[in-house]
Amino acid sequence: MNSPSLASLRDEVDAVDRAIVELVARRMRAVDAIGALKRASALPLRDPAREAEMAARRAAWARELGLDPALVERITRALVEGAVARMSAGLAPEQGGDEPSGPPAAPTAGGPGGDG
């Protein structure tokens, strides 16, 4: 039985990473729609109940798939912070947004989650 080569395994990882990036782009399109709805409805940027629900659900998914929930939490946090930064660029300060003053801040891993 032939085992896969290092190059073929790296190609597989690259293909999976490309798919992940495509999914992040899809997620951000949904975030854009959420931001538009929040602006139109004057809803606050953050929803603590939704954030807690997201964290619990993703931790459960991680456990079901044999993954470290802390790893999935860090990934989710980075996605959420990116979503929050993206949405806050278009929301009024009283909604939790920022005044437009240039490009949005780069997302960081860490901090509380958002609706994204």
Side-chain angles (χ1 to χ4, degrees):
M1 176 181 227
N2 290 334
S3 61
S5 70
L6 180 59
S8 68
L9 291 171
R10 285 180 174 165
D11 287 345
E12 182 178 351
V13 168
D14 288 346
V16 170
D17 287 350
R18 171 62 192 219
I20 290 169
V21 171
E22 289 172 358
L23 289 170
V24 170
R26 178 177 161 195
R27 187 180 199 281
M28 287 301 169
R29 287 189 297 274
V31 164
D32 290 343
I34 290 168
L37 285 172
K38 286 185 174 191
R39 280 189 299 280
S41 303
L43 293 172
L45 176 62
R46 303 199 85 122
D47 181 346
R50 167 70 176 153
E51 294 169 19
E53 172 196 331
M54 287 175 63
R57 183 176 301 155
R58 280 136 186 86
W61 292 343
R63 285 188 293 275
E64 288 171 13
L65 295 170
L67 296 172
D68 177 6
L71 170 64
V72 173
E73 178 184 358
R74 288 191 305 273
I75 293 167
T76 300
R77 192 174 297 136
L79 290 169
V80 167
E81 289 304 317
V84 168
R86 191 170 176 117
M87 285 190 295
S88 71
L91 291 178
E94 61 273 11
Q95 290 176 273
D98 297 325
E99 289 293 334
S101 60
T108 59
D115 199 25

